[in-house]
Amino acid sequence: MSSDVEKDAKSAGGVEAVDRAFRILGAFRDGDTALSLHELSERTGFYKSTLLRLAVSLERAGCLVRMPDKTYALGFEVMRLGSLYQRSFRLDRHVRPILRELVRETGESASFFHRDGPVRVCLFREDSNQPIRDHIREGDVLALDKGAAGHVLTAFSRTRDMAERRTLLANLPLVSQGERDTETAAISVPVFSGGIALAGALTISGPRTRFTPSQIAIMSPVLVAAGQELTAILGGQWR
């Protein structure tokens, strides 16, 4: 069962045992308190004998704790590292390079929106160099029921069913034409952090005349790839 996983690790380079140890830690999901050996085997693809050997090292490092019922829980060292990460993390360091690259590749303005209750807020913005463009500033508060970013934030905030979530992901980006104002168009994708928690919406926007079907078809895979990249950076899951 673990042979394919091990082949992948070897082909990618690095230290195989370390790759497998991190795969065990990555098997824990939001809501898990402890996992049995069988559950870890199912999620990682490793034999139980392999898991037991690696668990000893992870326990020694404080990354796993073996519970009295023989299940495994994440250890104190994971919490300590998580706290260090939170204290050192600055969202703008990760978002701004993505926005700049989107502007470079598409020629249109790029924004990152966050939902704040019934509205959306532009947290970060990179303007297009083109003389005619839409005008949004960082800190602007916009309606949630208009615009591609608003639709993304609404759809993924209320989605709880995984099948529905996969359907939404398969039909990205969401597109708006003339909703916020008659001359503006936008395409948008979600960004996730810490698993499947919605972090925000990554958006490309500009004059409606430039957002033709053919141009949207060109920009869409660029935006989806950027959303997936930022999601990975933030520790989210795009699936």
Side-chain angles (χ1 to χ4, degrees):
M1 175 168 50
S2 63
S3 59
D4 290 339
V5 175
E6 291 171 2
K7 286 177 183 177
D8 290 342
K10 288 178 181 178
S11 63
V15 180
E16 187 177 309
V18 176
D19 289 335
R20 287 186 286 179
F22 279 120
R23 192 176 181 91
I24 292 171
L25 296 178
F28 287 84
R29 301 169 186 166
D30 189 30
D32 289 336
T33 54
L35 296 175
S36 68
L37 202 61
H38 176 74
E39 288 171 318
L40 285 170
S41 180
E42 286 289 317
R43 293 186 185 184
T44 62
F46 297 149
Y47 292 115
K48 292 180 181 179
S49 57
T50 300
L51 286 167
L52 286 170
R53 289 196 303 272
L54 291 169
V56 171
S57 294
L58 288 169
E59 285 183 80
R60 191 180 299 130
C63 293
L64 275 186
V65 176
R66 192 179 189 193
M67 308 303 288
D69 62 357
K70 298 183 180 180
T71 60
Y72 289 89
L74 293 174
F76 68 89
E77 182 64 11
V78 175
M79 181 178 68
R80 187 185 73 83
L81 292 173
S83 297
L84 285 174
Y85 173 77
Q86 287 184 325
R87 289 196 295 271
S88 65
F89 182 81
R90 283 182 52 189
L91 186 60
D92 63 307
R93 291 179 180 174
H94 304 289
V95 176
R96 290 198 190 280
I98 299 286
L99 296 180
R100 285 193 289 268
E101 184 63 18
L102 282 173
V103 172
R104 189 190 70 78
E105 290 195 46
T106 68
E108 301 295 350
S109 300
S111 310
F112 182 84
F113 289 93
H114 176 74
R115 180 171 183 172
D116 187 4
V119 297
R120 57 185 168 112
V121 181
C122 180
L123 294 186
F124 307 107
R125 168 80 172 187
E126 290 291 331
D127 283 326
S128 164
N129 293 323
Q130 302 201 56
I132 300 176
R133 60 178 185 263
D134 67 322
H135 294 279
I136 295 175
R137 296 170 298 179
E138 292 182 3
D140 280 357
V141 178
L142 303 176
L144 199 61
D145 63 345
K146 292 182 175 65
H151 298 323
V152 164
L153 293 172
T154 299
F156 285 92
S157 292
R158 67 188 179 198
T159 300
R160 294 292 181 268
D161 180 74
M162 293 304 292
E164 181 185 0
R165 184 175 184 273
R166 285 192 290 269
T167 299
L168 287 170
L169 288 172
N171 288 282
L172 292 173
L174 298 189
V175 180
S176 64
Q177 295 272 8
E179 291 185 13
R180 191 172 59 83
D181 67 66
T182 57
E183 303 301 322
T184 302
I187 59 176
S188 186
V189 299
V191 174
F192 305 101
S193 64
I196 62 172
L198 182 63
L202 199 58
T203 306
I204 298 171
S205 59
R208 192 174 178 181
T209 53
R210 292 205 296 263
F211 278 64
T212 61
S214 60
Q215 191 60 26
I216 289 174
I218 292 171
M219 294 189 293
S220 292
V222 176
L223 181 60
V224 169
Q228 292 173 334
E229 180 183 355
L230 187 54
T231 290
I233 290 171
L234 300 183
Q237 296 176 5
W238 186 290
R239 62 184 182 187

